[in-house]
Amino acid sequence: MLILLLGANLGDRVDTLRKAVSLIKERIGSIDQQSSLYKTAAWGVTEQPDFLNQVVRIDTDLTPESVLEQTQRIEQELGRIRREKWGARAIDIDILYYDQRIILTETLTIPHPYLHQRRFTLVPLAEVAPDFVHPVLQKTTLELLAGCEDTGEVEIFNL
């Protein structure tokens, strides 16, 4: 089970997320569950537009490295330009989990190193994988959310 977090805060955010989901299905694997869209306050660099975020759960045969390659290619195709860490972007696709794997290389860290600190990640993650146990912290998504100190606004986005 692969779990990705999608985010966008520039351009037509809804359309960009729809296109990202379509490309993920085409290139990475079948999506067996996806969260609602959430409007979230920016994190890290806060002086920027609100994000729309969504978590998708995927069944894939790709290696974690191939998933990273495909997500970066999708980001680039959908207009991602990397200017500053945590800055505004047309699309962001983060690998949150890949089964219970723990990977730490120069280019890839799984589980995502900040997921337990971010409400904008944990709220949609709790919708699709509430009982999934973080392989390092040994806590479920719901436990991580209950202990999260982030107070950023996260609300369901109605189309």
Side-chain angles (χ1 to χ4, degrees):
M1 174 182 60
L2 170 68
I3 300 179
L4 303 178
L5 172 69
L6 314 178
N9 76 335
L10 295 177
D12 185 338
R13 302 170 301 170
V14 172
D15 186 57
T16 299
L17 292 176
R18 282 187 182 138
K19 287 176 181 172
V21 166
S22 178
L23 290 169
I24 287 166
K25 288 177 186 175
E26 181 182 310
R27 299 181 189 172
I28 298 175
S30 62
I31 294 177
D32 60 32
Q33 199 167 2
Q34 59 191 81
S35 75
S36 304
L37 293 178
Y38 288 86
K39 184 179 118 187
T40 64
W43 190 91
V45 177
T46 57
E47 295 300 315
Q48 58 180 309
D50 287 340
F51 277 83
L52 286 187
N53 290 105
Q54 182 176 42
V55 167
V56 293
R57 197 170 74 186
I58 302 156
D59 183 33
T60 186
D61 293 326
L62 296 182
T63 65
E65 293 77 12
S66 294
V67 170
L68 178 63
E69 182 181 313
Q70 288 300 324
T71 58
Q72 289 180 340
R73 187 173 292 152
I74 292 167
E75 286 178 342
Q76 187 175 14
E77 286 177 30
L78 294 178
R80 171 84 187 256
I81 299 169
R82 295 177 186 272
R83 289 194 178 100
E84 68 174 317
K85 187 173 186 173
W86 299 325
R89 60 207 88 137
I91 184 70
D92 186 33
I93 305 173
D94 289 336
I95 301 171
L96 300 181
Y97 295 119
Y98 196 127
D99 297 323
Q100 286 290 310
R101 297 181 195 198
I102 300 170
I103 300 170
L104 183 56
T105 68
E106 262 185 48
T107 56
L108 185 59
T109 302
I110 300 175
H112 190 284
Y114 301 111
L115 79 84
H116 63 287
Q117 299 173 355
R118 299 169 163 178
R119 281 183 44 79
F120 71 84
T121 301
L122 292 169
V123 171
L125 182 59
E127 191 178 323
V128 301
D131 299 319
F132 187 82
V133 176
H134 191 293
V136 175
L137 302 176
Q138 294 299 305
K139 292 183 179 181
T140 67
T141 302
L142 291 177
E143 289 171 331
L144 292 173
L145 181 56
C148 183
E149 295 179 10
D150 178 17
T151 58
E153 183 181 324
V154 178
E155 61 186 46
I156 287 188
F157 179 77
N158 294 310
L159 298 175

